Amino acid sequence: MSNAASSSDKTPSFEMTWGSSASSGYCSEEEPDPEFEQFFTARTSFFPKTKKPDLIVKKDEQTECGKQELTTAVIQQKVKEYNAQINSNLFMNMNKDGSYTGFIKVQFKLARPVSVPHPKKGGHDAGGRKASGVKRRTSFYLPKDASKHLHISSRTSAREVIEALLKKFTVVDNPGKFALFERSERHDQVYVRKLSDNERPLRLRLSSGPNEKVLSFVLKENETGEVNWHAFSMPELKNFLRILQREEEEHVKQIVQRYALARTKMQETLAGSTPG
């Protein structure tokens, strides 16, 4: 375990300590068959549906205690109090430069599959032919409610935490497709707030204490209300276009049938009516 923190804010300072795991059900993005499309977009929707929220989401509220600049003496006291409350070896440690390191636990709540590089087969495909220059990727669902611990510095940003988690699982999706949230429980209510990219999760952890009900971190899809198409890969975008085309054709078919039925009924009415 490393206790040294980076001296520059631009350099990520973290250390991952876990074993990786993955769910079953792999598929290659080069397979154009409908089964692949159904798997890859099983939980993807282009048009948002109205859903009754079960969480209280605080979009713009900032956690002031986590952003406050504290003196070295105050930080040392808080670290001492924090370490006295935990029953594990996940202690926080002070550094000579005034920064500190410690652990945060991140829970995964992803509704869509993630993409990883396709397994290499010695540069040749199944038929023995040399692999082409096309980058193949494999998609799978991460286990539900999986959680991982990260050893980070007080200088590590929320964006760097996301990048570290994706790197650990060799996920090649754009980090902009994900967001880190803080979750807290108060008075039988659950509050959720999206962290900005430059917020420091370990500072929030120290200010809130080790109790997971007071504060926990969750990795989710970055739902902004608008689809950021630039965050998707070419195979994903082509897949979306095929789905949109099928939906459009189905809607057109339903409209044509509805008007044809109305026209038929009006013509029958006119044929059976008596002039005058």
Side-chain angles (χ1 to χ4, degrees):
M1 183 186 303
S2 174
N3 293 337
S6 172
S7 60
S8 170
D9 289 346
K10 295 182 180 179
T11 304
S13 176
F14 41 72
E15 177 183 332
M16 287 74 74
T17 54
W18 61 67
S20 61
S21 61
S23 65
S24 59
Y26 287 86
C27 67
S28 167
E29 287 189 2
E30 287 190 347
E31 300 171 3
D33 59 281
E35 289 185 4
F36 161 66
E37 294 177 15
Q38 182 179 1
F39 172 84
F40 189 78
T41 60
R43 303 183 189 181
T44 301
S45 175
F46 294 106
F47 306 103
K49 297 179 181 179
T50 304
K51 181 180 179 181
K52 185 178 180 181
D54 55 353
L55 301 177
I56 299 176
V57 181
K58 301 183 290 185
K59 295 182 180 179
D60 303 319
E61 180 183 338
Q62 296 291 333
T63 305
E64 295 300 328
C65 61
K67 297 178 67 180
Q68 238 176 348
E69 292 297 333
L70 305 175
T71 64
T72 302
V74 172
I75 293 175
Q76 288 177 339
Q77 182 61 30
K78 282 185 170 291
V79 168
K80 184 178 179 180
E81 293 172 354
Y82 180 94
N83 290 340
Q85 296 178 59
I86 61 177
N87 299 317
S88 64
N89 60 347
L90 304 180
F91 298 106
M92 288 197 185
N93 296 285
M94 286 293 301
N95 298 317
K96 292 181 180 180
D97 60 0
S99 65
Y100 50 96
T101 59
F103 292 86
I104 62 169
K105 179 182 178 181
V106 181
Q107 187 176 17
F108 294 88
K109 283 195 174 294
L110 301 176
R112 303 188 184 107
V114 295
S115 301
V116 297
H118 193 75
K120 294 181 180 179
K121 297 182 180 179
H124 293 75
D125 59 18
R129 293 171 296 180
K130 194 171 181 178
S132 64
V134 179
K135 292 183 178 180
R136 302 182 63 189
R137 303 198 302 175
T138 299
S139 296
F140 67 94
Y141 287 104
L142 285 174
K144 264 192 173 183
D145 295 328
S147 60
K148 300 297 175 186
H149 283 89
L150 269 180
H151 186 241
I152 63 175
S153 163
S154 56
R155 295 192 176 108
T156 306
S157 67
R159 174 77 176 200
E160 290 168 346
V161 167
I162 295 172
E163 292 172 351
L165 290 169
L166 299 183
K167 183 178 180 181
K168 176 60 186 177
F169 285 102
T170 65
V171 174
V172 295
D173 293 312
N174 191 317
K177 294 168 64 175
F178 306 92
L180 192 64
F181 291 78
E182 68 170 24
R183 182 183 185 275
S184 59
E185 298 179 25
R186 295 195 303 273
H187 308 298
D188 298 325
Q189 294 282 357
V190 176
Y191 296 86
V192 177
R193 183 180 69 87
K194 178 182 173 182
L195 271 61
S196 62
D197 285 347
N198 59 356
E199 286 192 69
R200 307 294 192 249
L202 193 61
R203 295 185 184 182
L204 298 174
R205 179 80 280 162
L206 179 63
S207 299
S208 302
N211 193 329
E212 290 287 325
K213 288 188 176 182
V214 176
L215 175 74
S216 60
F217 296 105
V218 182
L219 183 70
K220 302 171 65 177
E221 280 87 3
N222 190 9
E223 302 289 356
T224 60
E226 295 182 1
V227 180
N228 180 17
W229 298 114
H230 295 286
F232 292 92
S233 64
M234 288 299 293
E236 289 175 314
L237 291 173
K238 290 178 180 178
N239 197 28
F240 293 158
L241 286 174
R242 287 196 293 268
I243 295 172
L244 283 175
Q245 183 177 359
R246 286 201 297 266
E247 289 182 355
E248 180 184 6
E249 292 172 352
E250 182 62 27
H251 282 301
V252 170
K253 181 180 178 181
Q254 292 175 1
I255 293 173
V256 170
Q257 289 176 343
R258 186 164 66 247
Y259 277 89
L261 179 61
R263 187 181 300 108
T264 300
K265 288 184 177 180
M266 285 187 285
Q267 290 174 343
E268 291 175 351
T269 302
L270 287 172
S273 63
T274 305

